[in-house]
Amino acid sequence: MYQLLLTALLVLSVIIVIAIFMQPQKNPSSNVFDSSGSEALFERTKARGFEAFMQRFTAVLVFFWLLIALLLAILSSR
């Protein structure tokens, strides 16, 4: 059981990294040190389409990753 969960955690970790890299950029010209104005830095827009799907997909993957990591911690303490 422990080895199966450990393997699932490793595979899920790789999938999460791939999912994070697949997410589109919010604003390709955004630069923290840009002096064009700070209102664009704190502006939030609602994600739509592929971006919204990737955000939800990544959140679900991270939830399962944390759940498996918690189960592994519980199993290893016994």
Side-chain angles (χ1 to χ4, degrees):
M1 179 71 169
Y2 185 80
Q3 293 296 327
L4 179 68
L5 286 175
L6 195 59
T7 304
L9 189 71
L10 179 64
V11 169
L12 203 55
S13 299
V14 171
I15 293 171
I16 288 172
V17 169
I18 292 169
I20 289 173
F21 279 124
M22 283 181 61
Q23 290 185 3
Q25 292 181 347
K26 303 279 185 199
N27 186 2
S29 65
S30 66
N31 188 356
V32 176
F33 303 111
D34 190 11
S35 62
S36 64
S38 63
E39 65 274 355
L41 182 62
F42 300 105
E43 187 177 283
R44 286 191 57 108
T45 58
K46 186 171 175 79
R48 300 186 190 279
F50 180 71
E51 184 179 356
F53 170 76
M54 287 306 295
Q55 285 179 355
R56 288 187 199 111
F57 182 66
T58 305
V60 169
L61 288 177
V62 169
F63 172 76
F64 284 121
W65 188 90
L66 288 171
L67 184 67
I68 292 172
L70 181 65
L71 289 173
L72 282 171
I74 291 170
L75 287 176
S76 67
S77 68
R78 291 183 183 186

